Amino acid sequence: TTSPERLKVGELLDAQDVDLDNSGKLLTRRGFSRVSTTPLHSLYSNDFIAVAATATDLVAIESDNTLTVLAPLTSPLPVSYETVVDTVFWSNGVDSGRLVGRSALAWGVTPPVSQPVALEVIGGLPPGRYRYAVTFLRADGHESGTGLSGQIDITQGGIAFSGIAVSASSEVTDKVLYVTATNGEVLYRVAIIPNAQTLYVYSSGGMDTMIPLTTQFATNAPAGSLVREFAGVMYVVVEGVVYHSDAYGYELFRPDTNFLQFPGRVAMFEPMTDGIYVGTTDIGGDDVESRGMTAFLKGSRPDKFDAMQLYDYGVIENTAI
């Protein structure tokens, strides 16, 4: 702190890798040591796990700084994470999943590609029209979505289902069959069968009117560049579209209807206590649009946001700034 010409002969002018404390004592500066030679990116941690990405894998960083492979990655893009209770949801825009402890699992269950074939058989059901659908059931109770229901008109009182889809997921243990009442519109649960079973005959009621189908037209989570949870809803950013899950159904998305569209690629999506800041970038077009924009979505539900543009420029990508 003294200019060189005012120092006495022999007094210290320059020092490298030392710290000077308040009393003027010189201390060797604290350094660092390499604990891993593996290149890592997308570091994330919470109260129970620390994770990062290599060029090919999602890994856990252990307390001794060793790396444990959790899941393979097909893309080197940055990974975005969000913790809800004891589950970490993650995606890099190509790959996605969830971490429960050290278990790397799928984010949601892919619905059946089609409804089963239905043929009339003899039974005790009233004649009329019946609609039906099948979902996949995971061991932890999560139920997949399903597509447009099938229908059949019967006069003999029974329905034989065949070609019931089998889930390729190792997490799926069972399937749930839903059928309407005679000439009804609401599908109700009538049977739970093992995942491997492809035939079932429904001919004598057994309908549980307390359990209607609630996941129709829902699907598993899309892969996105940003993953955020706010007020019981999960959001996944895909370019200029932000898809949102069912309320408290973090693994059920309805991409045909449940999304927010923005003018340009969403580079920031950061929830606060009273809403969400959204920043876009690289929109193209005129000079104002090309800078992107920053907006605030006030509220707590995606169908009731009060959106307002704050700035006519966007954000620094991969930051909340």
Side-chain angles (χ1 to χ4, degrees):
T1 59
T2 304
S3 58
E5 68 274 11
R6 296 182 62 83
L7 290 172
K8 297 177 182 179
V9 176
E11 288 188 320
L12 181 65
L13 176 62
D14 295 308
Q16 184 175 354
D17 291 335
V18 296
D19 290 325
L20 196 65
D21 71 11
N22 291 338
S23 68
K25 181 179 180 179
L26 285 175
L27 302 171
T28 302
R29 189 178 68 179
R30 290 179 178 271
F32 61 87
S33 59
R34 185 183 299 277
V35 296
S36 174
T37 59
T38 303
L40 300 173
H41 65 88
S42 303
L43 176 67
Y44 177 80
S45 67
N46 54 29
D47 291 337
F48 49 86
I49 195 171
V51 293
T54 71
T56 57
D57 297 296
L58 190 70
V59 298
I61 303 174
E62 308 296 352
S63 58
D64 61 357
N65 296 312
T66 58
L67 304 177
T68 301
V69 174
L70 300 174
L73 298 175
T74 62
S75 169
L77 291 171
V79 182
S80 179
Y81 311 86
E82 183 69 297
T83 299
V84 179
V85 190
D86 61 350
T87 300
V88 178
F89 298 93
W90 63 270
S91 183
N92 62 7
V94 178
D95 311 295
S96 63
R98 74 189 205 282
L99 301 175
V100 181
R102 289 294 195 275
S103 299
L105 306 169
W107 186 351
V109 176
T110 303
V113 295
S114 62
Q115 304 300 349
V117 175
L119 297 175
E120 184 178 12
V121 295
I122 296 174
L125 299 175
R129 174 166 294 179
Y130 292 82
R131 299 182 184 276
Y132 59 89
V134 170
T135 64
F136 294 135
L137 186 63
R138 214 164 56 193
D140 64 357
H142 172 73
E143 192 170 351
S144 78
T146 188
L148 185 67
S149 59
Q151 69 177 41
I152 183 175
D153 295 318
I154 65 170
T155 59
Q156 300 182 48
I159 308 171
F161 297 100
S162 63
I164 304 175
V166 175
S167 174
S169 171
S170 60
E171 297 180 64
V172 172
T173 56
D174 298 289
K175 295 177 287 202
V176 184
L177 175 64
Y178 290 87
V179 181
T180 65
T182 312
N183 301 319
E185 295 293 331
V186 179
L187 291 137
Y188 294 97
R189 180 180 295 186
V190 298
I192 298 177
I193 62 176
N195 181 40
Q197 185 173 329
T198 60
L199 303 173
Y200 185 81
V201 176
Y202 176 60
S203 60
S204 59
M207 182 178 299
D208 187 343
T209 57
M210 299 301 292
I211 307 180
L213 173 62
T214 60
T215 63
Q216 191 169 21
F217 305 121
T219 187
N220 49 315
S225 57
L226 291 173
V227 177
R228 295 290 185 268
E229 185 270 344
F230 177 62
V233 177
M234 190 69 75
Y235 296 85
V236 177
V237 174
V238 182
E239 295 295 331
V241 180
V242 181
Y243 296 100
H244 58 86
S245 73
D246 288 358
Y248 301 102
Y250 302 120
E251 300 185 67
L252 293 171
F253 288 76
R254 304 173 191 272
D256 291 339
T257 58
N258 291 2
F259 63 88
L260 305 171
Q261 180 79 52
F262 293 90
R265 183 165 54 88
V266 175
M268 181 187 76
F269 196 83
E270 288 298 331
M272 297 288 120
T273 57
D274 57 346
I276 303 172
Y277 282 98
V278 183
T280 67
T281 186
D282 298 335
I283 302 175
D286 61 38
D287 290 340
V288 174
E289 289 178 334
S290 65
R291 297 199 302 264
M293 66 91 186
T294 302
F296 184 68
L297 308 179
K298 186 176 182 179
S300 60
R301 283 289 178 263
D303 58 339
K304 296 182 179 180
F305 281 140
D306 181 11
M308 59 191 81
Q309 182 169 328
L310 303 179
Y311 309 108
D312 62 354
Y313 51 84
V315 300
I316 302 172
E317 193 160 9
N318 296 323
T319 76
I321 300 171

